[in-house]
Amino acid sequence: MEFIQFFKDLEPAVEQVFTFLEGRLGKLILSVTLLMLATLVNRFMHWRLLKETRAVQPQTGNFRATWVRRKNIVWVTALLLVLALWSGQITGFLISLAAIGGALLIVSKEFILCLWGALIISLNKSLRIGSTIEVGQFTGQLVNTGFVTFELAEIGPSKKQTGRLLSLPNSLVFTQAMKNLSVYGSYGIHLIDFNFDKFVKIQTAETLALRLANEAGKHWIEEAERHFTAVERDNFVDLPKARPEVFWASVDEKCLRMTLRFACPLSKRGHLEKSIVKRFWVEYVELVPHVPAGASNQQVADSTIS
C-alpha cells in the first residue's frame, strides 16, 4: 500500500514535468538532449569498433562500412525524434510558407536532389564503403556517405591513391554516370591499350603481351577464374574470362590499337600496368630492332577497368 501511495504522491510532480516538456523551453531542452545523446552513442560505438580492431586484424573496409551505417542510423533516428517534438510548430510554419512554396522549391532544388541522391546511394547494395567508383572525371574509393555529400579517397591516372579526399554532392547520381569498378569483389578486368603504326609485327606484339600478362598473373589467375565463376553463378551474369586476351582495332589508316585484357586484384592494377607497359616496350624494341623511330612513343592511349 505504501508503494501505491508513493506513486500517487508522485503523480502531480510527473504531470508538472510533462507540462514543462510540452512547452517551448522543454522541447528545446529535449532536442538538445537528444542531439547530445546521439553524439555520445556515436562516440561509444566508435570506441567499441576501435577496441575490436586492436584485438584482431579486421578488413578495414568492413569496419568502416559498419561505422558509417551505424552513425547514419543514430543521426536519422535523433533527427526524426526532434522533428516529432516540433511537429506542431513545423506544420504551422510550413502552412505559413505555402504562398511561397513554389519559389522555395526552386531555390532548394539542389538540396532536395542531394537528399534523394543520399537515399539512392544508401539503397544501392553494390555501393558499399570501400567500393571503387568512378563519377564523371573523378575516381576513388568510397569512404563516407552523408545526407548532402559523399566522400572519395581520390585515385589518380596512375591507379594509385593521391592522398586527397574528394567531397562530392549526392546530386551527381542524377547528372553523371556512376561506375562501380569493384562491383564483383576484389578482382576486376583491366584493359591496357597499346598504339602502333603500320609497321607493327602483330604476332610478335600479341605473343609478347600475352606472355607478360600471364607471368604477372600466375599467382592469382586460377583464383580469379574461380571468383568470376562464383559471381556468374550467384548473380546470373556472364563475365569475361580471367585469363589474358588480346584484341586488335584499327584507329585510322596509320595506326593500330592492341588491347590487352586480363584479370587482376583491384589494389594491384596500377603497379601491374606500369610494369607490363615498361617491359613490353623494352622487349618489343629488342625483338623488332628495325621498328621505326617514334613507334614506341605511342605507348598507352588509355587504361580502364570494367
PDB file of all heavy atoms in Angstrom, residues 190-194 209-210 212-213 244-247 258-262 276:
ATOM      1  N   HIS A 190      41.091  -5.651 -66.206  1.00  0.00           N
ATOM      2  CA  HIS A 190      41.902  -4.472 -66.511  1.00  0.00           C
ATOM      3  C   HIS A 190      42.222  -4.437 -67.992  1.00  0.00           C
ATOM      4  O   HIS A 190      42.530  -5.480 -68.589  1.00  0.00           O
ATOM      5  CB  HIS A 190      43.181  -4.497 -65.688  1.00  0.00           C
ATOM      6  CG  HIS A 190      43.877  -3.177 -65.644  1.00  0.00           C
ATOM      7  ND1 HIS A 190      43.256  -2.027 -65.224  1.00  0.00           N
ATOM      8  CD2 HIS A 190      45.139  -2.809 -65.985  1.00  0.00           C
ATOM      9  CE1 HIS A 190      44.101  -1.022 -65.286  1.00  0.00           C
ATOM     10  NE2 HIS A 190      45.257  -1.476 -65.753  1.00  0.00           N
ATOM     11  N   LEU A 191      42.157  -3.257 -68.591  1.00  0.00           N
ATOM     12  CA  LEU A 191      42.441  -3.069 -70.009  1.00  0.00           C
ATOM     13  C   LEU A 191      43.623  -2.130 -70.179  1.00  0.00           C
ATOM     14  O   LEU A 191      43.668  -1.070 -69.561  1.00  0.00           O
ATOM     15  CB  LEU A 191      41.225  -2.484 -70.740  1.00  0.00           C
ATOM     16  CG  LEU A 191      39.890  -3.219 -70.593  1.00  0.00           C
ATOM     17  CD1 LEU A 191      38.794  -2.469 -71.334  1.00  0.00           C
ATOM     18  CD2 LEU A 191      39.995  -4.638 -71.107  1.00  0.00           C
ATOM     19  N   ILE A 192      44.571  -2.537 -71.022  1.00  0.00           N
ATOM     20  CA  ILE A 192      45.698  -1.675 -71.377  1.00  0.00           C
ATOM     21  C   ILE A 192      45.743  -1.568 -72.893  1.00  0.00           C
ATOM     22  O   ILE A 192      45.783  -2.588 -73.587  1.00  0.00           O
ATOM     23  CB  ILE A 192      47.043  -2.221 -70.852  1.00  0.00           C
ATOM     24  CG1 ILE A 192      46.991  -2.438 -69.348  1.00  0.00           C
ATOM     25  CG2 ILE A 192      48.175  -1.268 -71.198  1.00  0.00           C
ATOM     26  CD1 ILE A 192      48.263  -3.028 -68.770  1.00  0.00           C
ATOM     27  N   ASP A 193      45.742  -0.347 -73.406  1.00  0.00           N
ATOM     28  CA  ASP A 193      45.781  -0.106 -74.848  1.00  0.00           C
ATOM     29  C   ASP A 193      47.189   0.277 -75.290  1.00  0.00           C
ATOM     30  O   ASP A 193      47.816   1.151 -74.685  1.00  0.00           O
ATOM     31  CB  ASP A 193      44.803   1.002 -75.227  1.00  0.00           C
ATOM     32  CG  ASP A 193      43.358   0.553 -75.127  1.00  0.00           C
ATOM     33  OD1 ASP A 193      43.116  -0.660 -75.030  1.00  0.00           O
ATOM     34  OD2 ASP A 193      42.482   1.421 -75.140  1.00  0.00           O
ATOM     35  N   PHE A 194      47.669  -0.383 -76.364  1.00  0.00           N
ATOM     36  CA  PHE A 194      48.946  -0.053 -76.979  1.00  0.00           C
ATOM     37  C   PHE A 194      48.687   0.417 -78.406  1.00  0.00           C
ATOM     38  O   PHE A 194      47.973  -0.260 -79.150  1.00  0.00           O
ATOM     39  CB  PHE A 194      49.871  -1.280 -77.015  1.00  0.00           C
ATOM     40  CG  PHE A 194      50.203  -1.848 -75.674  1.00  0.00           C
ATOM     41  CD1 PHE A 194      49.363  -2.767 -75.055  1.00  0.00           C
ATOM     42  CD2 PHE A 194      51.367  -1.489 -75.020  1.00  0.00           C
ATOM     43  CE1 PHE A 194      49.675  -3.300 -73.821  1.00  0.00           C
ATOM     44  CE2 PHE A 194      51.694  -2.021 -73.778  1.00  0.00           C
ATOM     45  CZ  PHE A 194      50.838  -2.921 -73.182  1.00  0.00           C
ATOM     46  N   ALA A 209      52.762  -9.616 -75.361  1.00  0.00           N
ATOM     47  CA  ALA A 209      51.802  -9.075 -74.395  1.00  0.00           C
ATOM     48  C   ALA A 209      51.157 -10.187 -73.567  1.00  0.00           C
ATOM     49  O   ALA A 209      51.015 -10.075 -72.342  1.00  0.00           O
ATOM     50  CB  ALA A 209      50.735  -8.263 -75.118  1.00  0.00           C
ATOM     51  N   LEU A 210      50.778 -11.300 -74.227  1.00  0.00           N
ATOM     52  CA  LEU A 210      50.162 -12.410 -73.512  1.00  0.00           C
ATOM     53  C   LEU A 210      51.151 -13.048 -72.539  1.00  0.00           C
ATOM     54  O   LEU A 210      50.779 -13.426 -71.414  1.00  0.00           O
ATOM     55  CB  LEU A 210      49.650 -13.450 -74.506  1.00  0.00           C
ATOM     56  CG  LEU A 210      48.414 -13.043 -75.324  1.00  0.00           C
ATOM     57  CD1 LEU A 210      48.106 -14.092 -76.379  1.00  0.00           C
ATOM     58  CD2 LEU A 210      47.211 -12.843 -74.418  1.00  0.00           C
ATOM     59  N   LEU A 212      53.728 -11.608 -70.995  1.00  0.00           N
ATOM     60  CA  LEU A 212      53.944 -10.721 -69.853  1.00  0.00           C
ATOM     61  C   LEU A 212      52.746 -10.735 -68.908  1.00  0.00           C
ATOM     62  O   LEU A 212      52.904 -10.739 -67.683  1.00  0.00           O
ATOM     63  CB  LEU A 212      54.214  -9.300 -70.338  1.00  0.00           C
ATOM     64  CG  LEU A 212      55.518  -9.083 -71.115  1.00  0.00           C
ATOM     65  CD1 LEU A 212      55.608  -7.644 -71.605  1.00  0.00           C
ATOM     66  CD2 LEU A 212      56.721  -9.438 -70.261  1.00  0.00           C
ATOM     67  N   ALA A 213      51.539 -10.757 -69.476  1.00  0.00           N
ATOM     68  CA  ALA A 213      50.338 -10.768 -68.640  1.00  0.00           C
ATOM     69  C   ALA A 213      50.218 -12.085 -67.873  1.00  0.00           C
ATOM     70  O   ALA A 213      49.839 -12.107 -66.694  1.00  0.00           O
ATOM     71  CB  ALA A 213      49.101 -10.534 -69.491  1.00  0.00           C
ATOM     72  N   PRO A 244      44.454 -13.797 -69.724  1.00  0.00           N
ATOM     73  CA  PRO A 244      44.738 -12.681 -70.642  1.00  0.00           C
ATOM     74  C   PRO A 244      44.271 -12.956 -72.067  1.00  0.00           C
ATOM     75  O   PRO A 244      44.372 -14.075 -72.562  1.00  0.00           O
ATOM     76  CB  PRO A 244      46.267 -12.558 -70.574  1.00  0.00           C
ATOM     77  CG  PRO A 244      46.647 -13.173 -69.270  1.00  0.00           C
ATOM     78  CD  PRO A 244      45.672 -14.286 -69.040  1.00  0.00           C
ATOM     79  N   GLU A 245      43.751 -11.913 -72.710  1.00  0.00           N
ATOM     80  CA  GLU A 245      43.340 -11.956 -74.109  1.00  0.00           C
ATOM     81  C   GLU A 245      43.778 -10.669 -74.786  1.00  0.00           C
ATOM     82  O   GLU A 245      43.944  -9.634 -74.133  1.00  0.00           O
ATOM     83  CB  GLU A 245      41.825 -12.121 -74.239  1.00  0.00           C
ATOM     84  CG  GLU A 245      41.289 -13.442 -73.701  1.00  0.00           C
ATOM     85  CD  GLU A 245      39.783 -13.561 -73.865  1.00  0.00           C
ATOM     86  OE1 GLU A 245      39.068 -12.898 -73.088  1.00  0.00           O
ATOM     87  OE2 GLU A 245      39.327 -14.278 -74.773  1.00  0.00           O
ATOM     88  N   VAL A 246      43.949 -10.740 -76.104  1.00  0.00           N
ATOM     89  CA  VAL A 246      44.384  -9.580 -76.885  1.00  0.00           C
ATOM     90  C   VAL A 246      43.378  -9.322 -77.992  1.00  0.00           C
ATOM     91  O   VAL A 246      42.895 -10.258 -78.643  1.00  0.00           O
ATOM     92  CB  VAL A 246      45.795  -9.803 -77.472  1.00  0.00           C
ATOM     93  CG1 VAL A 246      46.126  -8.736 -78.516  1.00  0.00           C
ATOM     94  CG2 VAL A 246      46.837  -9.778 -76.366  1.00  0.00           C
ATOM     95  N   PHE A 247      43.062  -8.050 -78.206  1.00  0.00           N
ATOM     96  CA  PHE A 247      42.144  -7.647 -79.272  1.00  0.00           C
ATOM     97  C   PHE A 247      42.787  -6.522 -80.080  1.00  0.00           C
ATOM     98  O   PHE A 247      43.464  -5.652 -79.527  1.00  0.00           O
ATOM     99  CB  PHE A 247      40.802  -7.168 -78.684  1.00  0.00           C
ATOM    100  CG  PHE A 247      40.154  -8.175 -77.785  1.00  0.00           C
ATOM    101  CD1 PHE A 247      40.377  -8.155 -76.413  1.00  0.00           C
ATOM    102  CD2 PHE A 247      39.322  -9.154 -78.299  1.00  0.00           C
ATOM    103  CE1 PHE A 247      39.784  -9.082 -75.572  1.00  0.00           C
ATOM    104  CE2 PHE A 247      38.720 -10.086 -77.469  1.00  0.00           C
ATOM    105  CZ  PHE A 247      38.952 -10.046 -76.096  1.00  0.00           C
ATOM    106  N   MET A 258      46.239  -2.249 -80.023  1.00  0.00           N
ATOM    107  CA  MET A 258      46.169  -3.565 -79.392  1.00  0.00           C
ATOM    108  C   MET A 258      45.703  -3.386 -77.948  1.00  0.00           C
ATOM    109  O   MET A 258      46.309  -2.627 -77.195  1.00  0.00           O
ATOM    110  CB  MET A 258      47.535  -4.249 -79.412  1.00  0.00           C
ATOM    111  CG  MET A 258      47.525  -5.644 -78.772  1.00  0.00           C
ATOM    112  SD  MET A 258      49.167  -6.414 -78.681  1.00  0.00           S
ATOM    113  CE  MET A 258      49.922  -5.434 -77.372  1.00  0.00           C
ATOM    114  N   THR A 259      44.624  -4.088 -77.591  1.00  0.00           N
ATOM    115  CA  THR A 259      44.083  -4.015 -76.231  1.00  0.00           C
ATOM    116  C   THR A 259      44.382  -5.327 -75.512  1.00  0.00           C
ATOM    117  O   THR A 259      43.960  -6.392 -75.962  1.00  0.00           O
ATOM    118  CB  THR A 259      42.573  -3.755 -76.241  1.00  0.00           C
ATOM    119  OG1 THR A 259      42.304  -2.503 -76.889  1.00  0.00           O
ATOM    120  CG2 THR A 259      42.027  -3.704 -74.821  1.00  0.00           C
ATOM    121  N   LEU A 260      45.098  -5.219 -74.422  1.00  0.00           N
ATOM    122  CA  LEU A 260      45.397  -6.373 -73.573  1.00  0.00           C
ATOM    123  C   LEU A 260      44.403  -6.391 -72.421  1.00  0.00           C
ATOM    124  O   LEU A 260      44.298  -5.427 -71.668  1.00  0.00           O
ATOM    125  CB  LEU A 260      46.834  -6.278 -73.039  1.00  0.00           C
ATOM    126  CG  LEU A 260      47.256  -7.344 -72.021  1.00  0.00           C
ATOM    127  CD1 LEU A 260      47.215  -8.732 -72.630  1.00  0.00           C
ATOM    128  CD2 LEU A 260      48.636  -7.022 -71.452  1.00  0.00           C
ATOM    129  N   ARG A 261      43.664  -7.489 -72.296  1.00  0.00           N
ATOM    130  CA  ARG A 261      42.658  -7.620 -71.243  1.00  0.00           C
ATOM    131  C   ARG A 261      43.021  -8.793 -70.338  1.00  0.00           C
ATOM    132  O   ARG A 261      43.283  -9.891 -70.817  1.00  0.00           O
ATOM    133  CB  ARG A 261      41.267  -7.848 -71.854  1.00  0.00           C
ATOM    134  CG  ARG A 261      40.137  -7.883 -70.816  1.00  0.00           C
ATOM    135  CD  ARG A 261      38.793  -8.049 -71.466  1.00  0.00           C
ATOM    136  NE  ARG A 261      38.595  -9.406 -71.988  1.00  0.00           N
ATOM    137  CZ  ARG A 261      37.521  -9.806 -72.656  1.00  0.00           C
ATOM    138  NH1 ARG A 261      36.567  -8.944 -72.932  1.00  0.00           N
ATOM    139  NH2 ARG A 261      37.417 -11.046 -73.086  1.00  0.00           N
ATOM    140  N   PHE A 262      43.015  -8.543 -69.029  1.00  0.00           N
ATOM    141  CA  PHE A 262      43.348  -9.606 -68.081  1.00  0.00           C
ATOM    142  C   PHE A 262      42.744  -9.271 -66.722  1.00  0.00           C
ATOM    143  O   PHE A 262      42.425  -8.122 -66.431  1.00  0.00           O
ATOM    144  CB  PHE A 262      44.873  -9.778 -67.960  1.00  0.00           C
ATOM    145  CG  PHE A 262      45.592  -8.557 -67.477  1.00  0.00           C
ATOM    146  CD1 PHE A 262      45.919  -8.392 -66.140  1.00  0.00           C
ATOM    147  CD2 PHE A 262      45.943  -7.548 -68.363  1.00  0.00           C
ATOM    148  CE1 PHE A 262      46.583  -7.261 -65.697  1.00  0.00           C
ATOM    149  CE2 PHE A 262      46.611  -6.412 -67.927  1.00  0.00           C
ATOM    150  CZ  PHE A 262      46.924  -6.267 -66.590  1.00  0.00           C
ATOM    151  N   ILE A 276      53.960  -3.933 -66.817  1.00  0.00           N
ATOM    152  CA  ILE A 276      53.742  -4.583 -68.111  1.00  0.00           C
ATOM    153  C   ILE A 276      54.091  -3.640 -69.259  1.00  0.00           C
ATOM    154  O   ILE A 276      54.740  -4.034 -70.236  1.00  0.00           O
ATOM    155  CB  ILE A 276      52.288  -5.084 -68.213  1.00  0.00           C
ATOM    156  CG1 ILE A 276      52.061  -6.261 -67.268  1.00  0.00           C
ATOM    157  CG2 ILE A 276      51.946  -5.490 -69.642  1.00  0.00           C
ATOM    158  CD1 ILE A 276      50.632  -6.749 -67.212  1.00  0.00           C
TER     159      ILE A 276
END
